[in-house]
Amino acid sequence: MFEGIKKFGFGLMRLPKLADDSIDVELVKKLVDEFLAAGFTYFDTAWAYSGSEVAIRQALVERYPREKFQLATKLAAWRATTQDEALKQFDESLERTGAKFFDFYLLHNMGDYRTKYFDDFKVWDFVAEKKSAGLIKNLGFSFHATPEELEKILTAHPEVDFVQLQINWADWDAPAIKSRACYEVAQRHGKKVVVMEPVKGGMLAAPPAQIEKILRDAEHESSPASWALRFAANLDGVAVVLSGMNSLEQMRDNVSTLKNFTKLTPAQEKVIDEARNELAKIPLIPCTACDYCANVCPQKLPISGFFAMLNHLTLFENKTFASRREGWLARARDKNPASSCLKCGKCESVCPQHIPIRKNLVRFVHEFERSD
Ligand code: SF4
Ligand code: SF4
């Protein structure tokens, strides 16, 4: 299924933009040209990535023979309110991309409350029909939830050809993401893995100073991003490592990292372990995102999302990045801000990690809600 496809894919979620906020298609064309010229062929978009499917039609599909690349896109059933609305995303993707068929088609972001939509709207039967009709060559799903849930989905759907997982060296053992455990579930089921977020939304390309020092001391000439990509590419069973790129400089750095990729040496693996251990010294809130607290909170506060933002801030000392990167986990905060906490303590009585939630919410208000 992935035979002949090199291990590096172009992730099209965050494409470069012009001043008027539209996608810079001319720059995307240049990026596509460099990517293909380096021998890479895998492109990953989604119905839900605003403007991305149309941009890739203009930059790739209309400019290169269809057999020269593979295109992956995704159906986000949880964005729909009816079955009809969900299933028509497939035809919309075909029309927007002009791709005629999809080499790889994914159910987008399964896990948590979202999984149910794919069952309720009979998306699994629908994509099986499209696969029989030759419009989908390989079927997979992207996933952001627990290894237990991944186990359940893969057991229920052995027809899946591959899974797309969030894997990076920082999240490898992180309780909220559990990259390693999810990867191991996929391995046990014999599924090929496409890696998303190998540089954690760009953050591992510019890690905290003490982490960068460890990486640069080991290999002065290698960028932190190259360590992140190599960590993901090094894993057995990983077929493609996706990276979003919005400048030629990033593209060239990534391409040179993965063009002649060879397995990491034990010494290089040790460097990553050291970086991870250093990261572990940074005092983070040990929240596992189980959301027991949110279920009992009378104010319905997205507590684990707040903590993801605080942890990001602790790690990278950048509030804008913390909001941009993890803010979606706390998207209910517009209606339910941390400052509306009643201090009733119900959340703390159910938190398995015994986290002083109220105290941390005060910190959140101070960092993210107060303007002074
Ligand atoms: S203390 Fe605040 S966050 Fe905790 S349950 Fe009560 S209102 Fe919700
Ligand atoms: S109950 Fe505790 S560990 Fe679970 S999400 Fe809430 S704060 Fe995090």
Side-chain angles (χ1 to χ4, degrees):
M1 150 193 23
F2 286 94
E3 289 78 27
I5 298 177
K6 291 201 180 157
K7 254 191 175 175
F8 180 36
F10 193 164
L12 305 166
M13 182 166 70
R14 308 174 191 98
L15 288 169
K17 298 248 177 113
L18 294 165
D20 65 359
D21 211 35
S22 63
I23 293 175
D24 184 349
V25 177
E26 290 312 307
L27 178 52
V28 178
K29 285 180 185 171
K30 287 186 192 144
L31 292 166
V32 163
D33 292 346
E34 287 229 7
F35 185 75
L36 289 170
F40 298 107
T41 53
Y42 191 100
F43 294 83
D44 174 86
T45 182
W47 176 89
Y49 299 164
S50 179
S52 172
E53 289 186 321
V54 171
I56 205 59
R57 185 189 76 230
Q58 295 166 329
L60 172 72
V61 181
E62 288 175 353
R63 299 174 62 240
Y64 286 92
R66 185 63 184 86
E67 67 279 10
K68 294 286 182 205
F69 60 87
Q70 297 85 36
L71 188 62
T73 194
K74 315 183 189 79
L75 185 151
W78 38 270
R79 285 278 299 267
T81 47
T82 62
Q83 180 177 23
D84 204 37
E85 222 178 282
L87 302 186
K88 84 172 186 230
Q89 288 180 21
F90 182 85
D91 284 336
E92 285 173 4
S93 289
L94 273 182
E95 195 189 320
R96 289 174 184 175
T97 60
K100 298 192 181 79
F101 63 90
F102 297 115
D103 306 271
F104 296 86
Y105 197 73
L106 300 93
L107 310 195
H108 195 171
N109 198 359
M110 292 201 68
D112 302 326
Y113 73 93
R114 300 173 299 274
T115 303
K116 180 176 177 300
Y117 285 82
F118 295 94
D119 296 328
D120 291 355
F121 293 154
K122 307 227 174 325
V123 176
W124 290 101
D125 297 339
F126 174 77
V127 289
E129 280 166 25
K130 297 292 175 192
K131 198 175 175 197
S132 303
L135 294 171
I136 293 173
K137 304 294 177 197
N138 300 287
L139 176 67
F141 61 87
S142 61
F143 182 81
H144 281 283
T146 64
E148 293 76 21
E149 220 182 320
L150 181 59
E151 176 71 46
K152 232 164 108 182
I153 298 171
L154 284 176
T155 304
H157 293 285
E159 73 273 24
V160 159
D161 298 307
F162 68 103
V163 289
Q164 187 159 309
L165 300 175
Q166 173 167 340
I167 293 180
N168 57 64
W169 66 255
D171 289 330
W172 190 231
D173 287 312
I177 310 290
K178 297 192 177 81
S179 281
R180 180 206 294 265
C182 288
Y183 163 75
E184 286 171 356
V185 169
Q187 283 285 92
R188 276 203 300 281
H189 281 263
K191 302 300 177 194
K192 287 283 183 194
V193 174
V194 173
V195 171
M196 57 184 163
E197 304 290 8
V199 287
K200 205 169 164 54
M203 283 301 147
L204 297 182
Q210 64 272 45
I211 310 293
E212 174 149 9
K213 183 173 182 325
I214 292 170
L215 303 177
R216 291 280 182 194
D217 283 354
E219 284 176 20
H220 184 66
E221 71 290 357
S222 300
S223 66
S226 88
W227 282 99
L229 293 181
R230 283 180 288 161
F231 171 79
N234 194 52
L235 296 164
D236 291 335
V238 164
V240 174
V241 177
L242 297 173
S243 181
M245 293 162 285
N246 43 32
S247 73
L248 288 166
E249 190 193 353
Q250 269 177 10
M251 168 69 72
R252 285 167 195 158
D253 184 41
N254 291 351
V255 158
S256 72
T257 298
L258 291 176
K259 199 168 175 186
N260 301 306
F261 173 73
T262 49
K263 295 286 274 183
L264 290 174
T265 63
Q268 289 170 321
E269 286 182 355
K270 247 174 95 182
V271 172
I272 292 177
D273 288 344
E274 205 188 320
R276 191 183 301 112
N277 290 340
E278 191 60 35
L279 203 61
K281 288 184 196 157
I282 302 173
L284 300 173
I285 303 168
C287 175
T288 59
C290 66
D291 285 341
Y292 292 161
C293 53
N295 291 335
V296 298
C297 173
Q299 298 295 81
K300 298 279 168 250
L301 300 188
I303 298 165
S304 61
F306 292 148
F307 292 171
M309 288 171 69
L310 278 175
N311 281 343
H312 207 276
L313 178 63
T314 305
L315 282 171
F316 301 108
E317 296 170 4
N318 185 322
K319 278 186 205 177
T320 310
F321 272 156
S323 288
R324 205 181 287 157
R325 177 69 200 140
E326 310 287 8
W328 69 281
L329 293 168
R331 57 193 171 284
R333 73 186 190 279
D334 294 345
K335 278 199 200 136
N336 313 66
S339 51
S340 67
C341 170
L342 304 171
K343 311 232 175 331
C344 65
K346 287 185 180 163
C347 50
E348 291 177 20
S349 67
V350 296
C351 175
Q353 310 301 322
H354 309 294
I355 294 168
I357 294 175
R358 286 171 287 187
K359 201 172 121 204
N360 280 295
L361 289 182
V362 170
R363 191 181 143 219
F364 184 90
V365 172
H366 176 76
E367 297 288 6
F368 290 100
E369 291 183 12
R370 265 182 27 182
S371 53
D372 54 320

